[in-house]
Amino acid sequence: MRADRVFAYGAAAGLIGDLLLGDPRRGHPVAAFGRAAGAVERVLWRDHRGWGALHTAVCVGGAVGLGAVAENAVRPSRTASVALTAAATWAVVGGTSLVREARVIGRALEAGDVEAARDRLPHLCGRDPQALDADGIARAVVESVAENTSDAVVGALVWGAVAGVPGLLGFRAVNTLDAMVGHRSVTYRRFGWASARLDDLAGWPGARLTAVLAALAGDSPRGAVRAWREDAPKHPSPNAGPVEASFAGALGVRLGGTLSYAGRVEHRPVLNRQGRAVATYDVERAVRLSRRVGLLALGAGVAARAFAKGRTA
């Protein structure tokens, strides 16, 4: 079976598996990678960029190498190749868990139970929930749905289309390492530098594709493009900026502004200033947009891989 068809069937099956099963409560492969990366960190940690780069190379290289070995081992069997791609896709995407968490918070807000929404918010993002009212929580959820649509779904599918199973596993390894050591704390300012920069590079194509697809699938394509063009460059993240701005314009809402993380206040630029303030019902609108973007990303990845195969045939 051609490699483009293996990816098409396998990735589609993996997304269906994620839709039906979500993430397992125990024994998730990403959690296993996190434990392994933590063990490597305990051996290699030094307050130095070079040691952090070595940590990144060992962890990401190990994930990519494992994917390459597994993919080569099952190559003679079409069924096994599709099954491996499906399993890898299911393991690295997190669209269903993202949707579930967002909807739990959205339902709590709709019921007027702000305390329950605050209690649940840390499952989705790192904001200080006690500093937020109902509308602030809804805005945090919409922003998290937008960013994680790129990180947890589209980015993985992009790299799966480019490099198969090694691409899927490698992207998730990079993204997980960034969450573990890529933040600007005293401990990781130097050691996590390489992971953070690699995450920026790996996330670049997926973020731009997410922004494009959000514009196509949202209620206001023109508004999404305008917000992306005008406001994304102001955002401190090179990848979250285009995604959140495009979602804001597509949904017709304002995102960004003052945020609070672990007692630290950040003043982010307002995205899509022409839009209205986020309301509780926008959580469900963002979730539906995220789902549409994920499906379109699968179609785009399959088409791109088939085109590339046709060019080299």
Side-chain angles (χ1 to χ4, degrees), residues 64-245:
V64 172
L66 177 63
V69 169
E71 190 173 67
N72 187 63
V74 302
R75 197 180 304 277
S77 170
R78 293 176 296 179
T79 301
S81 295
V82 171
L84 176 66
T85 302
T89 302
W90 167 79
V92 304
V93 301
T96 293
S97 294
L98 171 66
V99 164
R100 286 176 180 171
E101 291 296 338
R103 281 178 166 160
V104 166
I105 298 170
R107 285 194 293 268
L109 292 175
E110 289 171 0
D113 194 345
V114 178
E115 284 305 316
R118 287 192 179 114
D119 288 342
R120 198 70 186 184
L121 187 63
H123 291 257
L124 190 63
C125 64
R127 307 282 175 84
D128 289 336
Q130 298 305 319
L132 300 172
D133 59 9
D135 289 345
I137 293 172
R139 185 185 59 147
V141 172
V142 171
E143 290 173 352
S144 185
V145 167
E147 185 173 1
N148 282 292
T149 298
S150 176
D151 288 343
V153 182
V154 179
L157 292 173
V158 165
W159 283 102
V162 170
V165 172
L168 288 165
L169 300 188
F171 177 79
R172 180 53 58 219
V174 170
N175 197 247
T176 303
L177 278 185
D178 180 61
M180 293 176 66
V181 304
H183 41 87
R184 295 184 178 182
S185 65
V186 174
T187 302
Y188 295 121
R189 183 173 289 110
R190 294 185 180 88
F191 185 81
W193 178 85
S195 291
R197 299 290 76 75
L198 184 59
D199 184 67
D200 288 342
L201 290 172
W204 196 95
R208 272 70 192 169
L209 179 59
T210 303
V212 169
L213 297 179
L216 293 174
D219 296 337
S220 176
R222 181 175 295 180
V225 172
R226 183 188 65 244
W228 179 7
R229 184 181 65 250
E230 295 179 358
D231 299 329
K234 305 171 188 175
H235 198 284
S237 169
N239 294 330
V243 171
E244 291 184 17

